[in-house]
Amino acid sequence: MADLFAQEGERPFQNDTTGVLSPSLSDTLASDTIPLDTLPTSDTTTVAVDSSQAQGDIKTTIDYSAQDSIYFDVVNRKIYLYGDAKIDYGEVKLEAAYVELDWVNNMLTAKGMPDSTGKVVGQPLFTEGAEEYQTETIRYNFKTRKAYIKGVLTRPQEAEGYVYGESVKKNENDEVFINKGWYTPCDCEPGETPDLYIKSRKMKVVPGELVVSGPFNLVITDIPTPLGLPFGIFPMPRRENSGIIIPTYGEERRRGFFLKNGGYYFDINDYVNLTLLGDIYSRGSYGFSIISDYRKRYAYNGGLNFQYNRQLLDPDGAEKEEANDFRLTFRHTPQSRGNSRFSASVNIATSSYIQNNPTTNVESNLRTTLSSTVSYSTSFRNTPFNMAMSFRHNQNLLTEVFNVILPEVSLNMNRVYPFKNIVTSRSNWLAKVNVGYRMSARNQFTNERVSTPSGLSTDIIANRDPLADSVLAINGDNLSAILDRTQTGVEHSIPISTSFNVFNYFTVSPSFNYEELWYLKELDYDDESIPGKVIVNERNGFSRASSWNTSLGVNTRFYGLFNIGGEKIQAIRHTVIPSVSLSYRPDFSEESYGYYQRVRLDDEVLIDPNTGYDRNEKLISIYDGFIYGAPSPGKSGSVGFSLNNNLEMKVRNDKDTTENAKATRKIPIFESLSLSTSYNLMADSFKLAPLNISGRTRLFDNKVNINASMSMDPYSYVKDNFEPFDTVGTQGTSSFKVYENFTRVDRYAWVPSDENDGFKLGTITRASLALSTNFQPKKKKGKDADTKTENADVTEEELAYINQNRSDYVDFDIPWSIRLRYNLSYTNDPRRRQIAGEEDKVRQSVMFSGDVSVAPKWKVQFSSGYDFVNEEITQTSIDVFRDLGCFDFQFNWVPFGRFTSYHVQVNVKSAMLSDLKLQRRRAWQDF
């Protein structure tokens, strides 16, 4: 038997004799492997050839199938597959309308076939490992793994973009040699012309490494451009590799021509990398950056970024004034395991760094404070104790105040219930008795001004350091002075409390708290050695101060329901949470404790008629200004009162379209409205504390948030006859102000007197009002689901980076969004009334930001505000984004203010062609 048919009918074919290889299948194929009488008669034929029967170069089982028919030429050892043919040979897979399998020559040939209309369909799709080739025709040798392909479109593994060639040869190393081809970073389908591609007659693709081309030019929207080079090398690594980073170039008015962010990237290993970058300017400025990131899966990740810049502030000046700025950021985030945890977030910079090196991020440019935290915590197994150690840093870029807490150690004991096993009922008050413990130790370095002890002016202290009123620069010369300002202390606290119910409606909570402070020095005030002066001495040595207080709290909750029964509003519910507390604290300023000293400023006794106190005598703590302060002076036996209210309406839900006619929803009138004050029964004066009022609510279906607060002093103020006026600043300048001084007297503001202009409850010392809203249309349910799916694998670090760099991430699916915030604040010191100069009691501003999609793939973002006090527009920025397929268009504009600038850039999205961009910028230094 010479021929074998899977179905009736014979298909013409041509023998392919390319290559001379040894036979690959024995003559027993027809009779032993595929018996004639067992052939299937369905439309689909699937056959498997076992490699155990092969004597040639085929190394594994070949599975093949065809939708139409399979024709076997046993004499020439060839198989022909027609209609949706499929070949599966290990890592090699092939799909095509027609496939020819030559066992003698180990050759595989595939091509498309014309349909009834003459259109070629079923063009070969060839896959080898991770590489996929969409072709017109292909010939592949099983033994040599070489292939000759026509009209191929492929996307090299893990590379960005596609490669096309009219004729292609592939060798055994999967390297591809292309004649008349192009490369594009754009998404592309067979037969489609991309928006942008690089065209060359000769190209070579090394998968996972690079694309090399001969002379090439850039083609945009199928229009050839003169942009090109005699040769091209486009890296496309499957993983990160070390290499040179090409710098960007440009010009600034102040610093001249520049090359920025050029350097070298080191791919050290799979866990850590290192990037070294440098900047250089033609007018003398320069800088460099050291960037390193590390990650160990399921353990930790982090990174370090150090930046240094030397800038000539006035390159044309005779003195060549320069600024040396640096910034150091470091982060370490672990995945919690076991009982211990180490984390770090460090952000340190020179005070002028942000001002001299702004970015297009408006929020970053307006930042005035920096902070850092490095912490380690652990818990002790089978004990209620845990410990934490930390380093903290706070820095004000405007005042140049720098505070470093190194170290801060805390030891905590979780509350224990020593009597819970003694009593039979767990609801018994004795079972609820709990004891805790907390120890905190802190060592703080600072360059801040040294404050004078309370009640003492700077001119009355005889031995005051001349540098005490200065903020010290951070340098080696001031190191000893900064160390002198170091503060060290330890605080211990032992709280004891319990609770029980009375009459089922009242909860009673008694408590006792003991505190102890440890210091390494204390102050001594000498008011006798120099008449009219005070010498403040520091006595080194261990010093301790203890204090205690006790309290009893009672609180309950009750409700009121007002049934209205209206068509829209059905009821109003009022929730009231009153709380009353009793507390007692001894007077720790008594001489027996030794924590305070009475200091005379002058031998003359000067009694204030309003208060009855001697103005020339002050009660000052020996721990005044220390890190944990001192026990409070004055005996206190106060009654505290607070009242919290919640008011909400029950209305018919018009949005409910179900048959439930009783569907309702709740609308808050006041989510919280609270009042609080206290009355000190044991004080000899000023027994009533200020009244604090705060409230918050939401309006218009939770679209608008409102927060308000106020504090009111209930006592009267009269003119100070001893120091009636106070002058601040230099006359003729904007800082010049004149104040009239007042003295607080022990008389309620509503009590009639000669000074009262009329009835009033008190003096408002502070008030604030904040309104904020955020409007945007709702996303479609499908897009919400897609978003949740896409964000499922996003890490917390990636989300934090996105929140800090929102301009790098544009959501075109949201047609528009608006964010508004209005702030109004009022501060009033009743002891001083301004009578000359610009008043600064009221501060109000409005900030707004948002974005709008003006057209598909067009997004405009904006951010601005208005300061009503200074009557000026705050920092404003406008950003325009355009998605151009495989291009991005970005425009950033700061139209006025400190950082006036603009930046226009058109770039290719592909990381391989990241240097292929057109940009124009005018930095803030150029204006």
Side-chain angles (χ1 to χ4, degrees), residues 590-782:
E590 294 180 355
E591 188 175 352
S592 58
Y593 290 101
Y595 304 152
Y596 287 80
Q597 284 184 241
R598 294 193 177 275
V599 181
R600 291 211 60 83
L601 309 182
D602 195 286
D603 293 336
E604 180 185 359
V605 177
L606 192 61
I607 303 298
D608 189 329
N610 297 316
T611 63
Y613 293 116
D614 185 357
R615 295 177 67 98
N616 284 333
E617 185 179 71
K618 301 295 182 182
L619 185 66
I620 309 175
S621 171
I622 62 174
Y623 306 116
D624 192 282
F626 282 25
I627 195 167
Y628 290 113
S632 301
K635 182 181 293 186
S636 173
S638 62
V639 179
F641 173 78
S642 67
L643 183 66
N644 193 17
N645 300 266
N646 175 271
L647 197 64
E648 57 188 5
M649 291 189 302
K650 181 188 288 187
V651 301
R652 187 178 302 278
N653 188 4
D654 296 331
K655 296 180 179 180
D656 194 335
T657 59
T658 63
E659 297 180 356
N660 184 11
K662 297 182 179 180
T664 60
R665 61 190 181 100
K666 296 178 181 179
I667 297 178
I669 300 176
F670 282 106
E671 289 187 334
S672 175
L673 178 62
S674 62
L675 301 87
S676 64
T677 187
S678 64
Y679 188 84
N680 191 349
L681 298 171
M682 295 185 176
D684 56 1
S685 60
F686 304 107
K687 295 184 177 183
L688 184 61
L691 175 65
N692 297 306
I693 304 173
S694 64
R696 72 174 188 273
T697 189
R698 291 175 291 176
L699 302 177
F700 308 114
D701 197 17
N702 300 330
K703 292 292 191 304
V704 179
N705 297 314
I706 302 177
N707 287 272
S709 64
M710 183 188 71
S711 180
M712 185 173 62
D713 190 341
Y715 290 96
S716 298
Y717 289 81
V718 299
K719 293 182 179 180
D720 189 340
N721 296 323
F722 295 95
E723 297 180 8
F725 299 100
D726 190 11
T727 303
V728 177
T730 305
Q731 189 169 6
T733 64
S734 59
S735 62
F736 178 74
K737 298 175 182 179
V738 179
Y739 295 94
E740 185 179 8
N741 295 329
F742 292 81
T743 301
R744 191 182 190 217
V745 295
D746 188 19
R747 183 178 67 247
Y748 294 121
W750 54 82
V751 176
S753 65
D754 296 337
E755 291 84 3
N756 282 355
D757 297 332
F759 177 81
K760 65 177 183 178
L761 291 176
T763 303
I764 297 177
T765 57
R766 64 170 181 82
S768 66
L769 174 66
L771 290 83
S772 63
T773 183
N774 184 5
F775 297 103
Q776 71 178 37
K778 294 182 179 180
K779 282 189 175 182
K780 296 180 180 179
K781 293 183 179 180

Side-chain angles (χ1 to χ4, degrees), residues 294 299-303 329-337 339-347 371-378 387-393 406 408 796-797:
Y294 59 88
Y300 53 79
N301 65 81
T329 59
F330 171 72
R331 57 181 174 80
H332 177 85
T333 305
Q335 291 189 1
S336 297
R337 289 186 176 184
N339 299 323
S340 302
R341 175 182 174 88
F342 172 79
S343 63
S345 175
V346 178
N347 192 355
S371 61
S372 305
T373 302
V374 179
S375 62
Y376 170 80
S377 61
T378 186
M387 184 185 68
M389 295 184 293
S390 65
F391 148 80
R392 290 192 288 124
H393 141 263
L406 179 67
E408 182 175 28
E796 294 183 1
E797 293 78 13

Side-chain angles (χ1 to χ4, degrees), residues 76 90 134 410 460 480 497 921:
N76 297 311
Q134 302 177 57
S410 64
I460 205 173
S480 60
S497 64
R921 68 172 65 205

Side-chain angles (χ1 to χ4, degrees), residues 244-306:
I244 297 174
I245 299 175
I246 306 299
T248 60
Y249 61 89
E251 181 186 8
E252 293 180 2
R253 179 186 60 82
R254 179 183 297 180
R255 295 183 290 189
F257 295 97
F258 63 78
L259 292 175
K260 296 175 63 176
N261 296 326
Y264 199 85
Y265 173 83
F266 297 90
D267 181 31
I268 299 175
N269 53 43
D270 293 337
Y271 304 100
V272 63
N273 58 32
L274 176 65
T275 304
L276 301 179
L277 301 175
D279 306 336
I280 186 169
Y281 299 83
S282 62
R283 306 191 71 181
S285 300
Y286 61 86
F288 65 87
S289 302
I290 302 173
I291 305 170
S292 180
D293 294 301
Y294 59 88
R295 177 185 293 271
K296 186 175 182 181
R297 184 175 294 183
Y298 310 122
Y300 53 79
N301 65 81
L304 178 143
N305 189 340
F306 177 79

Side-chain angles (χ1 to χ4, degrees), residues 500-508 554-557 578:
F500 53 89
N501 294 329
V502 177
F503 307 123
N504 294 327
Y505 298 107
F506 299 91
T507 301
V508 181
V554 181
N555 65 78
T556 187
R557 181 190 300 256

Side-chain angles (χ1 to χ4, degrees), residues 390-615:
S390 65
F391 148 80
R392 290 192 288 124
H393 141 263
N394 292 285
Q395 181 181 359
N396 190 305
L397 301 179
L398 297 180
T399 62
E400 301 184 2
V401 172
F402 196 93
N403 292 307
V404 175
I405 299 176
L406 179 67
E408 182 175 28
V409 181
S410 64
L411 177 65
N412 300 281
M413 183 185 76
N414 298 330
R415 291 180 179 269
V416 296
Y417 297 83
F419 307 114
K420 67 178 182 179
N421 296 324
I422 297 178
V423 296
T424 57
S425 175
R426 293 296 176 90
S427 61
N428 189 290
W429 71 271
L430 190 60
K432 297 180 181 179
V433 173
N434 59 85
V435 181
Y437 171 76
R438 181 179 183 275
M439 183 276 291
S440 176
R442 186 184 301 173
N443 186 67
Q444 178 174 320
F445 303 91
T446 182
N447 67 337
E448 192 173 2
R449 298 179 179 88
V450 179
S451 60
T452 59
S454 302
L456 299 181
S457 59
T458 57
D459 57 351
I460 205 173
I461 301 177
N463 61 335
R464 183 165 177 79
D465 185 350
L467 296 177
D469 295 325
S470 303
V471 175
L472 301 177
I474 306 297
N475 54 46
D477 297 336
N478 294 326
L479 180 60
S480 60
I482 293 175
L483 293 177
D484 291 338
R485 301 183 185 185
T486 301
Q487 296 189 27
T488 304
V490 181
E491 180 184 41
H492 304 267
S493 177
I494 303 177
I496 304 174
S497 64
T498 186
S499 65
F500 53 89
N501 294 329
V502 177
F503 307 123
N504 294 327
Y505 298 107
F506 299 91
T507 301
V508 181
S509 304
S511 65
F512 176 84
N513 189 58
Y514 175 81
E515 293 184 351
E516 187 164 305
L517 305 176
W518 292 355
Y519 293 113
L520 300 180
K521 64 181 179 181
E522 62 184 36
L523 301 178
D524 177 71
Y525 306 97
D526 181 2
D527 56 3
E528 298 179 352
S529 300
I530 304 176
K533 296 287 185 178
V534 177
I535 301 175
V536 182
N537 297 312
E538 290 187 356
R539 292 182 177 178
N540 295 322
F542 178 75
S543 181
R544 59 176 291 274
S546 61
S547 63
W548 60 272
N549 64 79
T550 184
S551 66
L552 177 71
V554 181
N555 65 78
T556 187
R557 181 190 300 256
F558 58 88
Y559 307 89
L561 184 64
F562 305 93
N563 290 311
I564 298 176
E567 182 67 23
K568 183 67 175 178
I569 302 176
Q570 298 186 349
I572 295 178
R573 184 185 184 185
H574 185 196
T575 305
V576 183
I577 308 174
S579 177
V580 179
S581 63
L582 303 174
S583 64
Y584 172 77
R585 185 192 68 240
D587 183 5
F588 293 104
S589 64
E590 294 180 355
E591 188 175 352
S592 58
Y593 290 101
Y595 304 152
Y596 287 80
Q597 284 184 241
R598 294 193 177 275
V599 181
R600 291 211 60 83
L601 309 182
D602 195 286
D603 293 336
E604 180 185 359
V605 177
L606 192 61
I607 303 298
D608 189 329
N610 297 316
T611 63
Y613 293 116
D614 185 357
R615 295 177 67 98

